[in-house]
Amino acid sequence: TLLGDPQRRKKYYNSEKEMYVFNRNRVLFEWVLFFYQSNGDLYIPKTMPADLIERDLTFFGILTSDGGTSKRNSPYEVVAEKVQTPVEQPITMKEKLFKIVSVPYSSTASTIWALLDVTLILTSIIAFTIETEPEFEKLMDSLEGKNVANILFYIDAVCVSFFSIDLTIKFMTCPNRIDFFKELLNWCDMIAVGPFYIQLITFMFNGDVHLPSLFILRLGRVVRLFKLVRRIPALTMVMNIIVSSHRELAMLAVLWFMFVYMSAALMFFLENMNSDSEMFRTMFHSLWWSVVTMGTVGYGDIYPNEASGKVAGVFVVFGSTIFLTLPMTVIVSKFNDVSSSYRIAQFNARCTTI
């Protein structure tokens, strides 16, 4: 390491001040110095940015590019060899299967499983979208619906079979069955495969899967998109940001609802002050206008006609921009916190050999 090699640290010696000058973070250097004083115990301060920790430890030669410690030309090499590492318990087949289906990209098998899951999710969504196309219905009528419908059914059956196997393995190998049912994403997985089996049972007894009462079950296939949250780390981070910001977002939602209702009531009375308005006939019409205006969408189906209503509408539009910017500050702050924790966790994983 740098401090362990007299020749390497020689160029950092300041003869005028009679001291070594490394021009590095002063707080972090205390932990670097403690690494030598404690014969190899490295403590990572959680308050320091992960990139700063990695850069300084690499500079001093403690951390190498492969995540291990550098022992070349180090007087602490003998000490490092004496450190006893804890004996790892052998991983059972149950734990291996759980990591494959629940911890994406942790191994080659989990990577293949995750990519296959993502591919089938997108395939299922594309098949669901094609079914709603009018040209597809015409094609089914021309072909009597047999060949095309069978192809889409087989595609959906393959996707659901894989999702069911994934869910079954996850349930059978999870460490705690109670925690399994407490996780929201597991319920999304069950809802994603449930409609297929309900329609299949209905077809076996009734012979028709296009009953009006079962049409709503097709929305369960859209829930399969939430399975991507488990497979894409960036979406997991966004989910953690939303969960960690639930109190702030709930407060903003209450304030937003108050402002929507107040502006809707104000617009309703202003537009109906002189005569009955054709646009704002009830409070429900006013609430719809307020929601659309506050969301900066502005469909134009409902708009004020009175001069006083137009003036009030201007204030509502400007007020909506303020309410849209308030959540962004909270989300950006939480994103920085979660992102920093995620990067520190990745860095600590690299430093497990130290």
Side-chain angles (χ1 to χ4, degrees):
T1 60
L2 178 60
L3 299 183
D5 190 350
Q7 297 297 326
R8 291 178 59 187
R9 68 170 184 262
K10 184 177 180 180
K11 63 178 181 179
Y12 298 99
Y13 183 75
N14 191 325
S15 57
E16 296 180 358
K17 298 182 179 180
E18 296 183 351
M19 62 189 311
Y20 290 96
V21 179
F22 298 103
N23 194 22
R24 292 286 155 172
N25 187 275
R26 183 175 181 179
V27 177
L28 185 59
F29 181 75
E30 296 180 2
W31 299 97
V32 173
L33 184 60
F34 182 77
F35 172 75
Y36 295 92
Q37 295 172 340
S38 61
N39 293 333
D41 292 334
L42 180 61
Y43 294 91
I44 305 300
K46 295 183 178 180
T47 57
M48 303 295 293
D51 53 350
L52 176 61
I53 297 174
E54 182 176 4
R55 185 171 64 248
D56 280 18
L57 293 185
T58 304
F59 172 79
F60 288 105
I62 298 176
L63 183 69
T64 58
S65 58
D66 59 353
T69 52
S70 175
K71 298 181 180 179
R72 183 175 55 188
N73 298 328
S74 173
Y76 298 93
E77 180 176 357
V78 179
V79 176
E81 291 178 353
K82 293 180 180 179
V83 176
Q84 295 182 356
T85 57
V87 179
E88 296 183 358
Q89 298 294 332
I91 301 177
T92 61
M93 181 59 66
K94 181 179 178 180
E95 294 174 342
K96 290 181 179 179
L97 289 176
F98 181 76
K99 290 189 65 176
I100 290 175
V101 298
S102 301
V103 186
Y105 314 110
S106 60
S107 62
T108 304
S110 64
T111 302
I112 296 175
W113 189 269
L115 294 177
L116 183 59
D117 192 18
V118 172
T119 302
L120 292 178
I121 291 172
L122 297 179
T123 302
S124 174
I125 296 300
I126 293 173
F128 173 73
T129 306
I130 293 176
E131 289 181 1
T132 62
E133 178 63 33
E135 296 296 331
F136 170 76
E137 296 181 359
K138 295 179 181 179
L139 181 62
M140 287 186 63
D141 295 336
S142 62
L143 299 177
E144 297 182 354
K146 295 181 179 180
N147 297 330
V148 181
N150 287 338
I151 293 175
L152 293 178
F153 173 79
Y154 292 142
I155 291 176
D156 195 37
V158 170
C159 296
V160 172
S161 299
F162 179 84
F163 299 152
S164 301
I165 294 173
D166 178 78
L167 183 62
T168 303
I169 295 176
K170 201 175 299 176
F171 176 75
M172 297 299 296
T173 59
C174 66
N176 193 322
R177 303 288 171 80
I178 298 178
D179 292 339
F180 176 86
F181 289 103
K182 290 181 179 180
E183 189 173 349
L184 178 62
L185 292 178
N186 291 332
W187 284 97
C188 292
D189 293 344
M190 289 184 282
I191 296 175
V193 300
F196 176 83
Y197 292 109
I198 294 176
Q199 289 182 342
L200 188 62
I201 294 173
T202 305
F203 177 76
M204 293 173 59
F205 289 97
N206 193 20
D208 187 10
V209 296
H210 299 288
L211 298 176
S213 58
L214 297 178
F215 183 79
I216 192 65
L217 293 178
R218 299 177 66 184
L219 293 176
R221 299 169 66 179
V222 183
V223 182
R224 297 172 187 176
L225 281 174
F226 287 97
K227 293 172 62 65
L228 294 175
V229 176
R230 197 191 301 272
R231 300 305 181 186
I232 302 178
L235 294 179
T236 305
M237 185 183 300
V238 172
M239 201 73 175
N240 293 334
I241 293 172
I242 296 175
V243 172
S244 61
S245 308
H246 68 280
R247 292 186 177 180
E248 293 83 356
L249 294 177
M251 178 190 66
L252 291 172
V254 172
L255 293 175
W256 184 83
F257 173 76
M258 292 173 57
F259 192 85
V260 165
Y261 197 87
M262 291 173 59
S263 60
L266 177 63
M267 189 61 64
F268 175 76
F269 288 110
L270 290 177
E271 287 293 316
N272 292 276
M273 184 180 299
N274 299 324
S275 61
D276 294 338
S277 174
E278 296 181 358
M279 296 290 182
F280 299 87
R281 294 189 297 272
T282 63
M283 273 295 295
F284 291 104
H285 294 85
S286 299
L287 285 171
W288 170 248
W289 172 87
S290 183
V291 169
V292 171
T293 305
M294 287 285 291
T296 66
V297 178
Y299 288 123
D301 53 345
I302 300 177
Y303 51 88
N305 292 316
E306 299 291 335
S308 57
K310 293 178 180 179
V311 173
V314 171
F315 286 100
V316 173
V317 171
F318 281 103
S320 63
T321 58
I322 298 176
F323 275 88
L324 286 177
T325 55
L326 284 177
M328 295 305 300
T329 57
V330 177
I331 294 175
V332 170
S333 177
K334 291 294 182 179
F335 177 81
N336 292 332
D337 295 339
V338 175
S339 178
S340 178
S341 301
Y342 179 75
R343 293 172 62 186
I344 290 176
Q346 283 187 324
F347 176 77
N348 290 337
R350 289 184 57 192
C351 296
T352 53
T353 57
I354 296 179

